Amino acid sequence: MGSTWGNHIKISIFGESHGNGIGVVMDGFPAGHCCDMEFIRSELARRAPGQSSLTTGRREGDQPEILSGMLTDPASGELTTTGAPICIVIRNTDTRSGDYENLRTVPRPSHSDFTGQLRYQGYNDIRGGGHFSGRLTAPMVFAGALCKDYLRKKYEIEIGSHIYQIGEVKDSTFDLTSISDTQLKELQKAAFPVLDPESEGKMKEIVDHARRELDSVGGVIECAATGVAAGIGSPMFSNVESRIASILYGVPAVKGVEFGLGFEMAEKRGSEVNDCYVKNGNNIETRTNYNGGIAGGITTGMPIVVRAAIKPTPSISRGQTTLNLKTGQEELLEIHGRHDPCIAMRAPVVIESAVALAMLDLCLEAWGYAPV
Ligand SMILES: Cc1cc2nc3c(=O)[nH]c(=O)nc-3n(C[C@H](O)[C@H](O)[C@H](O)COP(=O)(O)O)c2cc1C
Ligand SMILES: C=C(O[C@@H]1CC(C(=O)O)=C[C@@H](OP(=O)(O)O)[C@H]1O)C(=O)O
């Protein structure tokens, strides 16, 4: 099903939103890493459904059950990776599959109901979106949190993000040259991560307004990685942008990815956006960072900055037309399940996790499996 990703660490995500459970098998994760399970649980909690009236009402504990690849180390007493494939399962406990009974016949616009049936000859589990559901990002967050923990301890790489945009309301952008690991850690801890405190109220109002109008709204997450050494990556198809983008596009509802100044580059002149090299002590840096820490597909040593655009939730209660696949007639569809009015509200930790997986894959490619 295309649910396997990675070269040096490989993740394979399994399960369906309304099946027994979801999970991930992670192959190639370095041995001897002492896992901060408290951190991993807190990352899962950041993403979990049912957090407020502005998210889906489904309630899941999202507790990971570890099946393999981690053991309590007798010397330290800590849960430590063994080098064998790591497998975890998260049980589904709060499903309401009746909400989905009619969707084989009257597919939701912009969700996977129609395309999934075509691709899998109608054998796909359509309940809750099945394997296409945003719920499958829970195991991605488990894997990403483990990578974040490793990247922090081993390479001093920190990854954090903020909600840059919801609807037409924009937060400030990261200062591309001076993002600090402390700033990223603080964003990770925030219940609603924004740079300008005034954005929070305005963004929540936009989401609530859409919800009250039985509608949904899109957004953009801006994510940064600090402490990434220069010289990681390759040209062309294995470049850093394509590796990060390939996993970001694996997150359901992500419709656009840009690096540094991104699409805004198109309206600039070279003299305005070339990142000129400068010496800072013994380090070579760039004075500006419009390229978002990447040149020629290889890291420059400046912070990596990437934005992911997330579409408005497809399942809305407001009436919309769709085709009845039995009658061939257009008909009105009103969706009355439990849905996020704005996916971007829960997406920051998902985007960070995807970037962390890409960064660990790239670091292992560059430096191999040196002991912790
Ligand atoms: C964290 C998260 C939560 C989501 N919540 C919903 C939801 O409540 N309702 C919905 O229709 N889609 C939701 N989605 C998006 C759908 O899963 C997605 O739009 C669908 O699978 C089709 O994929 P595509 O948008 O990439 O084409 C969510 C996605 C994520 C990442
Ligand atoms: C369960 C989660 O989000 C779900 C993602 C989702 C979708 O279509 O993507 C639809 C909804 O599913 P359900 O109808 O079962 O409540 C969301 O609640 C989760 O993120 O853990």
Side-chain angles (χ1 to χ4, degrees), residues 179-217:
I179 304 162
S180 71
D181 54 352
T182 321
Q183 182 185 20
L184 298 182
K185 277 186 198 155
E186 274 168 18
L187 285 170
Q188 284 177 18
K189 285 190 204 128
F192 195 95
V194 279
L195 302 180
D196 174 359
E198 290 198 354
S199 311
E200 175 172 352
K202 291 183 201 159
M203 287 178 172
K204 283 184 172 168
E205 176 49 35
I206 293 272
V207 177
D208 199 36
H209 193 220
R211 184 186 65 83
R212 281 185 272 115
E213 293 195 327
L214 312 181
D215 215 337
S216 63
V217 61

Short mmCIF file of all heavy atoms in Angstrom, two decimals, residues 179-217:
data_model
loop_
_atom_site.label_atom_id
_atom_site.label_comp_id
_atom_site.label_asym_id
_atom_site.label_seq_id
_atom_site.Cartn_x
_atom_site.Cartn_y
_atom_site.Cartn_z
N ILE A 179 17.17 31.20 14.45
CA ILE A 179 16.26 30.34 15.22
C ILE A 179 17.11 29.60 16.26
O ILE A 179 18.19 29.09 15.92
CB ILE A 179 15.58 29.32 14.28
CG1 ILE A 179 14.86 30.06 13.15
CG2 ILE A 179 14.62 28.42 15.04
CD1 ILE A 179 14.53 29.20 11.96
N SER A 180 16.65 29.54 17.50
CA SER A 180 17.46 28.85 18.52
C SER A 180 16.78 27.56 18.96
O SER A 180 15.56 27.42 18.86
CB SER A 180 17.67 29.76 19.74
OG SER A 180 16.47 29.88 20.44
N ASP A 181 17.60 26.65 19.49
CA ASP A 181 17.01 25.39 19.96
C ASP A 181 16.07 25.64 21.14
O ASP A 181 15.05 24.97 21.30
CB ASP A 181 18.09 24.33 20.28
CG ASP A 181 19.13 24.83 21.24
OD1 ASP A 181 19.14 26.04 21.55
OD2 ASP A 181 19.96 24.02 21.69
N THR A 182 16.38 26.67 21.94
CA THR A 182 15.50 27.00 23.08
C THR A 182 14.13 27.42 22.56
O THR A 182 13.09 26.99 23.09
CB THR A 182 16.10 28.18 23.88
OG1 THR A 182 17.50 28.01 23.93
CG2 THR A 182 15.51 28.31 25.25
N GLN A 183 14.11 28.24 21.51
CA GLN A 183 12.84 28.67 20.92
C GLN A 183 12.03 27.46 20.44
O GLN A 183 10.83 27.36 20.69
CB GLN A 183 13.15 29.62 19.74
CG GLN A 183 11.93 30.18 19.06
CD GLN A 183 12.29 31.01 17.82
OE1 GLN A 183 13.39 30.88 17.25
NE2 GLN A 183 11.39 31.86 17.40
N LEU A 184 12.71 26.51 19.80
CA LEU A 184 12.01 25.34 19.26
C LEU A 184 11.48 24.45 20.39
O LEU A 184 10.37 23.92 20.31
CB LEU A 184 12.91 24.55 18.32
CG LEU A 184 13.39 25.31 17.07
CD1 LEU A 184 14.24 24.42 16.18
CD2 LEU A 184 12.21 25.88 16.27
N LYS A 185 12.27 24.33 21.47
CA LYS A 185 11.82 23.50 22.61
C LYS A 185 10.59 24.14 23.25
O LYS A 185 9.67 23.44 23.67
CB LYS A 185 12.94 23.38 23.64
CG LYS A 185 13.93 22.28 23.31
CD LYS A 185 14.92 22.13 24.44
CE LYS A 185 16.15 21.39 23.97
NZ LYS A 185 17.34 21.64 24.73
N GLU A 186 10.60 25.47 23.36
CA GLU A 186 9.43 26.15 23.95
C GLU A 186 8.19 25.95 23.09
O GLU A 186 7.09 25.72 23.59
CB GLU A 186 9.72 27.64 24.13
CG GLU A 186 10.42 27.90 25.45
CD GLU A 186 10.99 29.30 25.55
OE1 GLU A 186 10.58 30.18 24.78
OE2 GLU A 186 11.88 29.48 26.41
N LEU A 187 8.38 26.02 21.78
CA LEU A 187 7.23 25.81 20.87
C LEU A 187 6.66 24.41 21.04
O LEU A 187 5.45 24.20 21.02
CB LEU A 187 7.64 26.05 19.42
CG LEU A 187 7.82 27.52 19.01
CD1 LEU A 187 8.47 27.62 17.64
CD2 LEU A 187 6.49 28.28 19.01
N GLN A 188 7.58 23.43 21.22
CA GLN A 188 7.12 22.03 21.41
C GLN A 188 6.22 21.90 22.64
O GLN A 188 5.33 21.07 22.69
CB GLN A 188 8.32 21.10 21.61
CG GLN A 188 9.08 20.78 20.37
CD GLN A 188 10.29 19.90 20.68
OE1 GLN A 188 10.38 19.29 21.73
NE2 GLN A 188 11.23 19.88 19.75
N LYS A 189 6.50 22.73 23.65
CA LYS A 189 5.74 22.61 24.91
C LYS A 189 4.42 23.38 24.86
O LYS A 189 3.54 23.16 25.69
CB LYS A 189 6.58 23.16 26.06
CG LYS A 189 7.68 22.21 26.47
CD LYS A 189 8.33 22.68 27.76
CE LYS A 189 9.74 22.13 27.88
NZ LYS A 189 10.73 23.16 28.15
N ALA A 190 4.28 24.30 23.90
CA ALA A 190 3.08 25.16 23.88
C ALA A 190 1.85 24.39 23.42
O ALA A 190 1.92 23.59 22.48
CB ALA A 190 3.34 26.34 22.94
N ALA A 191 0.72 24.64 24.08
CA ALA A 191 -0.53 23.98 23.69
C ALA A 191 -0.98 24.48 22.31
O ALA A 191 -1.58 23.73 21.53
CB ALA A 191 -1.61 24.25 24.72
N PHE A 192 -0.68 25.73 22.02
CA PHE A 192 -1.03 26.30 20.71
C PHE A 192 0.20 27.08 20.24
O PHE A 192 0.39 28.25 20.55
CB PHE A 192 -2.25 27.24 20.86
CG PHE A 192 -2.89 27.59 19.55
CD1 PHE A 192 -3.98 26.88 19.07
CD2 PHE A 192 -2.41 28.66 18.78
CE1 PHE A 192 -4.57 27.21 17.86
CE2 PHE A 192 -3.00 28.99 17.58
CZ PHE A 192 -4.09 28.27 17.12
N PRO A 193 1.10 26.42 19.51
CA PRO A 193 2.39 27.04 19.20
C PRO A 193 2.32 28.13 18.12
O PRO A 193 2.06 27.84 16.96
CB PRO A 193 3.24 25.85 18.71
CG PRO A 193 2.26 24.85 18.21
CD PRO A 193 0.98 25.07 18.95
N VAL A 194 2.52 29.38 18.56
CA VAL A 194 2.60 30.52 17.63
C VAL A 194 3.75 31.41 18.10
O VAL A 194 4.13 31.34 19.27
CB VAL A 194 1.30 31.34 17.56
CG1 VAL A 194 0.27 30.71 16.66
CG2 VAL A 194 0.72 31.59 18.95
N LEU A 195 4.27 32.24 17.21
CA LEU A 195 5.37 33.15 17.59
C LEU A 195 4.82 34.44 18.17
O LEU A 195 5.36 34.97 19.13
CB LEU A 195 6.25 33.44 16.37
CG LEU A 195 6.88 32.22 15.68
CD1 LEU A 195 7.74 32.65 14.50
CD2 LEU A 195 7.72 31.43 16.67
N ASP A 196 3.74 34.94 17.57
CA ASP A 196 3.12 36.17 18.05
C ASP A 196 1.91 35.78 18.92
O ASP A 196 0.94 35.23 18.39
CB ASP A 196 2.69 36.99 16.83
CG ASP A 196 1.91 38.23 17.22
OD1 ASP A 196 1.68 38.45 18.43
OD2 ASP A 196 1.51 38.97 16.31
N PRO A 197 1.95 36.05 20.22
CA PRO A 197 0.87 35.59 21.11
C PRO A 197 -0.51 36.06 20.65
O PRO A 197 -1.52 35.42 20.97
CB PRO A 197 1.23 36.18 22.47
CG PRO A 197 2.63 36.68 22.37
CD PRO A 197 2.99 36.81 20.93
N GLU A 198 -0.56 37.17 19.92
CA GLU A 198 -1.87 37.68 19.47
C GLU A 198 -2.51 36.78 18.40
O GLU A 198 -3.72 36.85 18.18
CB GLU A 198 -1.72 39.09 18.90
CG GLU A 198 -1.41 40.08 20.00
CD GLU A 198 -1.68 41.51 19.59
OE1 GLU A 198 -2.01 41.75 18.40
OE2 GLU A 198 -1.53 42.37 20.46
N SER A 199 -1.72 35.96 17.75
CA SER A 199 -2.25 35.12 16.67
C SER A 199 -3.22 34.06 17.21
O SER A 199 -4.18 33.69 16.54
CB SER A 199 -1.14 34.38 15.93
OG SER A 199 -0.12 35.24 15.57
N GLU A 200 -2.92 33.57 18.43
CA GLU A 200 -3.69 32.43 18.96
C GLU A 200 -5.20 32.71 18.96
O GLU A 200 -5.98 31.94 18.39
CB GLU A 200 -3.21 32.07 20.37
CG GLU A 200 -4.06 30.97 20.99
CD GLU A 200 -3.51 30.44 22.31
OE1 GLU A 200 -2.39 30.80 22.71
OE2 GLU A 200 -4.23 29.64 22.94
N GLY A 201 -5.59 33.82 19.58
CA GLY A 201 -7.02 34.14 19.69
C GLY A 201 -7.65 34.29 18.32
O GLY A 201 -8.75 33.77 18.07
N LYS A 202 -6.93 34.99 17.42
CA LYS A 202 -7.49 35.24 16.08
C LYS A 202 -7.66 33.92 15.32
O LYS A 202 -8.66 33.70 14.63
CB LYS A 202 -6.56 36.17 15.29
CG LYS A 202 -6.51 37.59 15.81
CD LYS A 202 -5.61 38.41 14.91
CE LYS A 202 -5.11 39.65 15.61
NZ LYS A 202 -3.90 40.21 14.99
N MET A 203 -6.67 33.06 15.45
CA MET A 203 -6.74 31.77 14.73
C MET A 203 -7.86 30.90 15.27
O MET A 203 -8.63 30.30 14.52
CB MET A 203 -5.40 31.03 14.82
CG MET A 203 -4.32 31.65 13.97
SD MET A 203 -2.76 30.79 14.17
CE MET A 203 -1.77 31.57 12.89
N LYS A 204 -7.98 30.85 16.61
CA LYS A 204 -9.04 30.02 17.20
C LYS A 204 -10.41 30.54 16.79
O LYS A 204 -11.33 29.76 16.57
CB LYS A 204 -8.89 30.02 18.73
CG LYS A 204 -7.76 29.11 19.21
CD LYS A 204 -7.72 29.07 20.71
CE LYS A 204 -6.71 28.03 21.20
NZ LYS A 204 -6.44 28.16 22.63
N GLU A 205 -10.53 31.86 16.69
CA GLU A 205 -11.81 32.44 16.28
C GLU A 205 -12.17 32.01 14.84
O GLU A 205 -13.31 31.67 14.55
CB GLU A 205 -11.72 33.97 16.41
CG GLU A 205 -12.94 34.75 15.93
CD GLU A 205 -14.28 34.24 16.48
OE1 GLU A 205 -14.32 33.78 17.63
OE2 GLU A 205 -15.28 34.28 15.72
N ILE A 206 -11.15 32.00 13.97
CA ILE A 206 -11.39 31.57 12.58
C ILE A 206 -11.88 30.12 12.54
O ILE A 206 -12.79 29.76 11.80
CB ILE A 206 -10.07 31.67 11.75
CG1 ILE A 206 -9.66 33.13 11.58
CG2 ILE A 206 -10.18 30.97 10.41
CD1 ILE A 206 -10.26 33.82 10.40
N VAL A 207 -11.23 29.27 13.36
CA VAL A 207 -11.61 27.84 13.38
C VAL A 207 -13.02 27.69 13.92
O VAL A 207 -13.87 26.98 13.36
CB VAL A 207 -10.61 27.00 14.23
CG1 VAL A 207 -11.06 25.55 14.30
CG2 VAL A 207 -9.21 27.10 13.66
N ASP A 208 -13.31 28.42 15.02
CA ASP A 208 -14.62 28.31 15.63
C ASP A 208 -15.71 28.82 14.69
O ASP A 208 -16.80 28.24 14.60
CB ASP A 208 -14.64 29.08 16.96
CG ASP A 208 -15.78 28.61 17.84
OD1 ASP A 208 -16.08 27.41 17.82
OD2 ASP A 208 -16.39 29.45 18.52
N HIS A 209 -15.38 29.88 13.98
CA HIS A 209 -16.33 30.46 13.03
C HIS A 209 -16.66 29.44 11.93
O HIS A 209 -17.82 29.20 11.61
CB HIS A 209 -15.72 31.73 12.45
CG HIS A 209 -16.69 32.56 11.70
ND1 HIS A 209 -16.40 33.21 10.53
CD2 HIS A 209 -17.99 32.84 11.92
CE1 HIS A 209 -17.47 33.83 10.08
NE2 HIS A 209 -18.45 33.63 10.91
N ALA A 210 -15.61 28.81 11.40
CA ALA A 210 -15.81 27.78 10.36
C ALA A 210 -16.66 26.64 10.92
O ALA A 210 -17.59 26.15 10.27
CB ALA A 210 -14.47 27.26 9.87
N ARG A 211 -16.32 26.22 12.15
CA ARG A 211 -17.06 25.10 12.78
C ARG A 211 -18.54 25.45 12.93
O ARG A 211 -19.41 24.66 12.60
CB ARG A 211 -16.43 24.82 14.15
CG ARG A 211 -17.01 23.63 14.89
CD ARG A 211 -16.44 23.51 16.29
NE ARG A 211 -16.80 24.63 17.14
CZ ARG A 211 -17.94 24.76 17.80
NH1 ARG A 211 -18.84 23.80 17.73
NH2 ARG A 211 -18.19 25.82 18.54
N ARG A 212 -18.81 26.68 13.42
CA ARG A 212 -20.21 27.08 13.63
C ARG A 212 -20.95 27.15 12.30
O ARG A 212 -22.15 26.96 12.24
CB ARG A 212 -20.27 28.42 14.38
CG ARG A 212 -20.04 28.22 15.89
CD ARG A 212 -20.22 29.51 16.69
NE ARG A 212 -18.99 30.27 16.78
CZ ARG A 212 -18.79 31.48 16.24
NH1 ARG A 212 -19.76 32.07 15.59
NH2 ARG A 212 -17.64 32.10 16.36
N GLU A 213 -20.22 27.45 11.25
CA GLU A 213 -20.85 27.49 9.91
C GLU A 213 -20.83 26.12 9.24
O GLU A 213 -20.97 26.02 8.01
CB GLU A 213 -20.15 28.54 9.05
CG GLU A 213 -20.37 29.95 9.58
CD GLU A 213 -20.02 31.03 8.58
OE1 GLU A 213 -19.09 30.83 7.78
OE2 GLU A 213 -20.71 32.06 8.61
N LEU A 214 -20.59 25.06 10.03
CA LEU A 214 -20.58 23.67 9.55
C LEU A 214 -19.54 23.46 8.46
O LEU A 214 -19.73 22.69 7.51
CB LEU A 214 -21.97 23.25 9.03
CG LEU A 214 -23.16 23.57 9.92
CD1 LEU A 214 -24.46 23.08 9.27
CD2 LEU A 214 -23.01 22.94 11.30
N ASP A 215 -18.42 24.20 8.59
CA ASP A 215 -17.40 24.20 7.55
C ASP A 215 -16.03 23.87 8.16
O ASP A 215 -15.94 23.55 9.35
CB ASP A 215 -17.39 25.59 6.87
CG ASP A 215 -17.09 25.51 5.39
OD1 ASP A 215 -16.47 24.51 4.98
OD2 ASP A 215 -17.45 26.45 4.66
N SER A 216 -14.98 23.96 7.37
CA SER A 216 -13.63 23.69 7.88
C SER A 216 -12.68 24.72 7.27
O SER A 216 -13.07 25.46 6.36
CB SER A 216 -13.20 22.27 7.49
OG SER A 216 -13.14 22.15 6.08
N VAL A 217 -11.44 24.74 7.76
CA VAL A 217 -10.49 25.74 7.29
C VAL A 217 -9.08 25.14 7.24
O VAL A 217 -8.75 24.25 8.02
CB VAL A 217 -10.60 27.02 8.18
CG1 VAL A 217 -10.27 26.73 9.63
CG2 VAL A 217 -9.74 28.16 7.67
#
